[in-house]
Amino acid sequence: MTSSPTRKAAVRAATVAALRPGYRADLADGTDRFFEPRRTDCPWCGSARLRVRLRTRDLLQHKPGAFVLDECRDCAHVFQNPRLTGRGLEFYYRDFYDGLGEQRLGSVFGTRAAVYRGRARSVAPFAAAPSSWLDVGTGHGHFCETARELFPGTSFDGLDLSEGVELAEQNGRLDRGFRGSFPELAPKLAGQYEVLSMFHYLEHSTDPARELAAAREALRPGGLLLIEVPDPHCRYARLLGRWWLPWLQPQHLNLMPAANLRRRLGELGFEVLLEQHGEPHDPVDLLAACWLLLDAVAPREDAPWLPGAPPGRARRALRGALFLAAAPVLVAAALLDRLLAPFAARTGLSNAYRLIARAAEGNPNP
Ligand SMILES: [Zn+2]
């Protein structure tokens, strides 16, 4: 099913207009109420030795608000501080993966089959034909749909907070879809899964330690936990500063170095079988940085949370012209990303890491 660009633009303009009053009301009292009080200790290790790692804004949706990432001087954990409240998270996630943002993201996520295949394949040496797999933070279930090609006998379930998981079950991408918070649902799923995956999920969590404990609970003894998260030690994170895409403020609340995650998994009774840095690297850092920078200086696209009148024809044309003029730079950045990708792990440029860990035999003691 296709529709013309003009028709798409008209649909978007109507959606934006319909959403505007709601956003205006939400923002009438400013954004302070979206934040918890600033904490003075590290949520990972409790140390009070913190330093500011990054100050930034919402560079993707351009919703109002300023965000700070702190780093623990003792364990190097990076976290949003002050952190968003539940209401704040709802406000900043709204229309990103669902609603207004869904049409655009759907096409992005829909074309990542090669990435999903790589993720699924990484489990094969440790479990050739798992009977059951739970993908936590599954979104619209696209990973499971692809992984099924490699593991045709496996039953794939997915869990997520958003309605995408229900659609994924209806469309058959998931055998079962669970909508809700994983730590709250875990007791009902106790001991059910041979494999449990969390792809770029833990960094969105308010309490990663609770998520890991929930994973231990949902896995069978001897089951496998597969985790992929952005690497805050990535060299690009320092080189590109706020323009490094995986900072993804305000969504990423906790970014843990691999050593921290390994240690916590050990404490929970997991044995880490594999740590990879090259394979999970997503070669988009330079392209994304150029794009974010360009998008920050260009006139804004209309959005329901932006103050003032919708952009007129001249501003829209200027935006188009800027992106067109910058096209060669974007192409060069994308090429460089590709060229450097094979060396990402060796040069410390890899923007993510993957861990596979086996749950100990015997019952978990939460
Ligand atoms: Zn710490």
Side-chain angles (χ1 to χ4, degrees):
M1 219 167 49
T2 54
S3 58
S4 73
T6 338
R7 163 109 188 104
K8 271 188 192 163
V11 170
R12 186 181 152 87
T15 314
V16 168
L19 293 172
R20 204 182 303 274
Y23 275 101
R24 289 256 157 96
D26 279 334
L27 287 166
D29 297 324
T31 55
D32 286 355
R33 68 202 173 91
F34 293 147
F35 292 90
E36 289 180 354
R38 191 182 173 281
R39 60 183 297 162
T40 54
D41 63 342
C42 168
W44 192 268
C45 78
S47 163
R49 294 181 355 107
L50 306 178
R51 69 178 185 95
V52 172
R53 175 75 192 261
L54 186 77
R55 291 178 196 280
T56 189
R57 307 188 78 85
D58 174 357
L59 299 175
L60 282 161
Q61 284 193 304
H62 305 289
K63 285 180 179 168
F67 310 98
V68 179
L69 288 173
D70 275 350
E71 181 175 301
C72 173
R73 287 174 188 269
D74 283 318
C75 78
H77 184 68
V78 177
F79 61 103
Q80 189 184 71
N81 196 19
R83 201 184 75 195
L84 289 169
T85 59
R87 273 187 87 176
L89 288 168
E90 188 282 319
F91 175 80
Y92 286 105
Y93 270 88
R94 200 189 308 158
D95 292 304
F96 193 91
Y97 297 98
D98 291 302
L100 192 59
E102 190 185 333
Q103 313 140 299
R104 243 188 281 182
L105 286 167
S107 56
V108 174
F109 291 141
T111 55
R112 291 174 63 79
V115 171
Y116 297 149
R117 254 177 239 123
R119 288 175 179 175
R121 215 175 282 129
S122 69
V123 163
F126 310 102
S131 59
S132 53
W133 187 315
L134 176 65
D135 186 40
V136 177
T138 198
H140 290 250
H142 292 296
F143 165 74
C144 293
E145 187 182 32
T146 304
R148 225 182 263 286
E149 297 164 13
L150 279 105
F151 299 103
T154 304
S155 137
F156 280 96
D157 296 348
L159 186 151
D160 209 293
L161 286 168
S162 66
E163 65 176 355
V165 71
E166 289 163 354
L167 298 172
E169 186 186 288
Q170 286 161 26
N171 295 337
R173 290 193 290 270
L174 299 174
D175 289 294
R176 290 189 299 171
F178 305 104
R179 185 175 180 182
S181 134
F182 181 45
E184 281 165 27
L185 291 169
K188 271 194 268 178
L189 306 171
Q192 288 193 23
Y193 292 97
E194 210 170 313
V195 180
L196 194 150
S197 53
M198 294 174 158
F199 299 113
H200 292 267
Y201 167 78
L202 274 184
E203 65 272 29
H204 294 261
S205 165
T206 54
D207 190 350
R210 241 183 115 212
E211 304 284 345
L212 295 173
R216 181 71 182 85
E217 189 174 5
L219 277 169
R220 287 181 197 165
L224 295 173
L225 175 59
L226 167 56
I227 293 176
E228 236 179 79
V229 281
D231 188 351
H233 281 176
C234 171
R235 193 164 282 179
Y236 274 134
R238 287 189 202 285
L239 289 171
L240 301 173
R242 61 171 13 192
W243 309 111
W244 189 54
L245 182 67
W247 289 130
L248 200 75
Q249 288 306 293
Q251 293 190 17
H252 286 178
L253 309 180
N254 288 286
L255 293 119
M256 39 263 140
N260 289 10
L261 203 46
R262 292 181 71 117
R263 202 172 307 126
R264 185 58 52 88
L265 288 171
E267 287 162 10
L268 283 164
F270 283 97
E271 181 199 355
V272 176
L273 306 173
L274 178 82
E275 174 175 338
Q276 288 181 326
H277 289 261
E279 292 79 354
H281 172 61
D282 190 6
V284 295
D285 304 82
L286 296 174
L287 173 63
C290 290
W291 196 94
L292 290 176
L293 191 58
L294 191 61
D295 186 49
V297 298
R300 294 263 172 278
E301 256 188 317
D302 196 17
W305 44 86
L306 296 181
R313 187 171 296 186
R315 271 165 63 198
R316 290 204 307 271
L318 177 58
R319 182 180 168 85
L322 269 171
F323 274 83
L324 198 62
V329 177
L330 295 173
V331 170
L335 275 173
L336 203 51
D337 277 330
R338 295 271 154 204
L339 284 171
L340 292 171
F343 315 103
R346 252 176 293 162
T347 50
L349 292 172
S350 166
N351 56 20
Y353 64 91
R354 175 187 293 160
L355 293 180
I356 295 183
R358 192 188 300 285
E361 299 288 342
N363 291 322
N365 38 337

